[in-house]
Amino acid sequence: MKIKLKKALIFTFKRGIYPKEQKQFTEDVPINTLLPAEGSEIVFPLLMHMGTANSPLVEKGQRVLLGEKIGDSDAFISAPVHSSVSGIVKDIRPHLTIAGTIINSVIIENDGKFEEHENIKPRDGYDNLSREEILKIIREAGIVGLGGAGFPTHVKLSPPPEKKIDTVIINGCECEPYLTTDNRIMIEESGRIVTGLKIILKVIQTARGIIAIEDNKPEAIEHLKEYCANIPDIKVAVVKTKYPQGCEKQLVDAITGREVPSGGIPIDVGCIVHNVDTVIAIHRAIIRGRPLMRKVVTLTGGAIRNPGNYKMRIGTLLSDLVEMAGGYKSNPAKIVVGGPMMGTAIFDTDVPIVKTTEGVIFLTEDEAYIPPEKNCIRCGCCVERCPSGLIPTELNADILKENSEAFIKHNGLDCIECGSCSYICPAKRRLSQAIRTIRRVELAKLQASRQKKQEPK
């Protein structure tokens, strides 16, 4: 298939901002593997994805093996959970998660043996696998979007028949400041990314593949171009380093020139977007027979002693990881999970790393400082830079008036919570924070209403 891209000297989207990258701490640090110590508690929340929560498949006192399925659901939009260690189930109870929610979790005491379950079996290849077989393996491996959203991958790769997909975009645009795991993965595992994309194109046979990488990642671009040189239906596209280039809608616009409609998703314009680490997980599941049990996470910031990119077992407590990474140089003033633009501050490190954890930033007083909020000066900077084309001041006014109907009318649900408005605001208005709060409330109401309509009468 001949690949046609949007005509451009360098691919980008409308509006956006240019925050300080702050990637110098870890961008040149190779991925280092950290294994949890014998006797440590590994916590597996039974909901690490978007969709229906899992039910436990194990009991207290039971011994489990590495790669054994410990939680699952019959729902289509769900993904099972597997143990990343071997050991004894100590308990099954609600536990605080890195997102600040309380989720029913399986707690396993690691025996340090990492004894593998019999279901982990490498395959010779994937050429003889059917589309349905590949999707089943991906589902059984518990693979979800590893860029942060956590949407089950087998669902994303099963679009409705009326949605004609012609483009699969692999998202290598790690646009959040501080985070560097995707960059290191592209440098160190380029071949697996390309093979993983080939597997996806076997599932979506009508599509071409495009690996999108920002121009501040020259080594990753060079590696992937080399691997794609003789593959006609896969191309590397270099995009402008701009925030939030890595958001799905903005990336689709940058690469194809297509605009995802209000309330829509990329499949509405013939595109599917996957994070680079998700593609690696597909490779591991199909070729190596391994479910999703590990995550590469950036631990960074001025307060951590040894900033770096660490490959770790899902379920490992953040407090244990900090200790394995050398501890703190100074007590962090703030700990942020994810990037500084869209991440969430946490108050407790006794929380497990989950499938969607991309990074944890340990900020010093100077790094965490935010100037006090002032009155809006009506400069229009937030409107000029909003990548979704919204009017943040108008949405903020709706929120202050507690007028949710006006907020929805003014397309507040289309906000991608990127934080560009708050960052660019000279008065340091907490625009994004206010919009995020009301938006999630209204989305929860909308979801509850949809579920009620689907319930049998």
Side-chain angles (χ1 to χ4, degrees):
M1 178 185 295
K2 187 177 180 181
I3 297 179
K4 293 182 179 180
L5 305 178
K6 184 175 78 174
K7 290 183 179 180
L9 294 175
I10 188 166
F11 300 101
T12 190
F13 62 97
K14 303 179 184 73
R15 299 176 287 274
I17 60 173
Y18 301 90
K20 293 181 180 179
E21 293 185 11
Q22 302 286 26
K23 296 179 185 284
Q24 70 276 9
F25 296 107
T26 58
E27 62 184 344
D28 296 322
V29 181
I31 297 170
N32 184 23
T33 299
L34 297 179
L35 289 176
E38 181 180 349
S40 58
E41 285 191 355
I42 312 298
V43 180
F44 300 94
L46 291 171
L47 181 62
M48 300 189 205
H49 56 268
M50 190 181 296
T52 304
N54 293 309
S55 299
L57 301 178
V58 292
E59 298 177 349
K60 186 176 178 179
Q62 178 180 338
R63 184 167 189 266
V64 297
L65 301 178
L66 183 148
E68 184 171 346
K69 191 192 296 187
I70 58 176
D72 204 352
S73 167
D74 292 332
F76 179 58
I77 303 181
S78 187
V81 175
H82 301 78
S83 178
S84 61
V85 297
S86 56
I88 303 297
V89 178
K90 287 188 66 176
D91 205 354
I92 301 173
R93 58 177 170 79
H95 197 284
L96 180 68
T97 71
I98 208 160
T101 54
I102 305 293
I103 301 293
N104 197 34
S105 304
V106 176
I107 301 169
I108 297 174
E109 182 177 337
N110 176 28
D111 63 14
K113 297 178 181 179
F114 300 101
E115 186 179 345
E116 294 186 354
H117 192 270
E118 60 182 9
N119 287 342
I120 296 181
K121 296 177 182 177
R123 295 180 179 83
D124 294 332
Y126 61 90
D127 290 339
N128 295 326
L129 294 175
S130 67
R131 175 182 183 275
E132 290 71 25
E133 287 172 328
I134 292 173
L135 288 173
K136 182 179 180 180
I137 293 168
I138 290 172
R139 196 270 173 199
E140 285 301 303
I143 300 174
V144 302
L146 300 180
F151 194 77
T153 300
H154 70 282
V155 180
K156 186 178 277 193
L157 290 176
S158 306
E162 67 272 15
K163 303 293 184 181
K164 304 302 180 183
I165 307 300
D166 58 27
T167 305
V168 173
I169 301 174
I170 304 306
N171 188 351
C173 301
E174 197 166 38
C175 57
E176 277 265 17
Y178 286 95
L179 305 184
T180 58
T181 56
D182 288 350
N183 182 39
R184 294 309 312 177
I185 287 169
M186 288 188 288
I187 292 170
E188 298 180 33
E189 301 195 58
S190 303
R192 290 177 177 175
I193 291 172
V194 174
T195 301
L197 177 51
K198 286 180 177 180
I199 294 169
I200 291 174
L201 296 182
K202 186 174 174 64
V203 175
I204 311 292
Q205 297 183 1
T206 57
R208 46 73 185 274
I210 299 171
I211 304 172
I213 313 174
E214 290 168 303
D215 59 3
N216 66 346
K217 301 174 177 60
E219 192 175 356
I221 293 168
E222 181 182 351
H223 278 248
L224 280 158
K225 279 189 173 181
E226 182 179 342
Y227 275 99
C228 297
N230 298 314
I231 306 174
D233 56 351
I234 297 178
K235 184 179 181 66
V236 173
V238 180
V239 300
K240 189 173 183 178
T241 301
K242 182 168 66 170
Y243 182 83
Q245 183 69 82
C247 289
E248 284 192 340
K249 293 183 179 181
Q250 281 63 42
L251 190 56
V252 168
D253 177 22
I255 296 296
T256 68
R258 303 170 191 172
E259 183 176 344
V260 178
S262 174
I265 55 178
I267 63 170
D268 295 326
V269 292
C271 296
I272 289 177
V273 183
H274 283 293
N275 172 265
V276 290
D277 202 18
T278 306
V279 182
I280 292 287
I282 290 173
H283 174 278
R284 289 169 66 86
I286 301 297
I287 304 299
R288 302 180 63 194
R290 303 183 75 82
L292 181 55
M293 299 179 290
R294 71 96 179 104
K295 190 74 173 73
V296 182
V297 178
T298 300
L299 300 184
T300 187
I304 193 79
R305 188 172 301 280
N306 295 313
N309 302 292
Y310 295 99
K311 184 183 293 185
M312 54 195 66
R313 298 302 170 104
I314 289 171
T316 306
L317 294 179
L318 178 57
S319 54
D320 291 339
L321 293 173
V322 171
E323 184 177 344
M324 286 189 278
Y328 298 130
K329 282 197 300 185
S330 60
N331 288 329
K334 182 181 286 188
I335 302 175
V336 177
V337 176
M341 302 297 295
M342 299 181 71
T344 304
I346 61 172
F347 59 89
D348 190 343
T349 57
D350 285 329
V351 290
I353 296 297
V354 295
K355 296 178 182 181
T356 54
T357 307
E358 293 183 278
V360 186
I361 309 172
F362 303 88
L363 300 171
T364 62
E365 289 280 359
D366 289 342
E367 290 174 319
Y369 175 73
I370 300 176
E373 194 174 22
K374 299 178 182 178
N375 291 330
C376 175
I377 61 173
R378 304 186 69 80
C379 65
C381 286
C382 61
V383 179
E384 181 184 7
R385 296 293 183 175
C386 176
S388 297
L390 305 178
I391 304 176
T393 50
E394 186 175 57
L395 296 175
N396 193 49
D398 296 335
I399 294 166
L400 293 174
K401 295 174 185 175
E402 299 182 356
N403 190 340
S404 58
E405 289 185 7
F407 177 84
I408 294 172
K409 180 182 177 182
H410 294 141
N411 299 313
L413 297 184
D414 286 337
C415 172
I416 58 174
E417 301 179 12
C418 68
S420 295
C421 53
S422 294
Y423 181 87
I424 205 68
C425 177
K428 299 304 173 187
R429 301 289 298 168
R430 311 295 194 255
L431 299 167
S432 179
Q433 293 87 333
I435 292 170
R436 175 185 296 185
T437 301
I438 188 67
R439 177 178 178 273
R440 294 188 179 186
V441 169
E442 293 304 319
L443 285 174
K445 289 180 183 177
L446 186 62
Q447 180 66 22
S449 176
R450 288 173 178 169
Q451 288 180 346
K452 189 174 182 179
K453 288 180 181 179
Q454 293 173 355
E455 290 176 359
K457 296 182 179 179

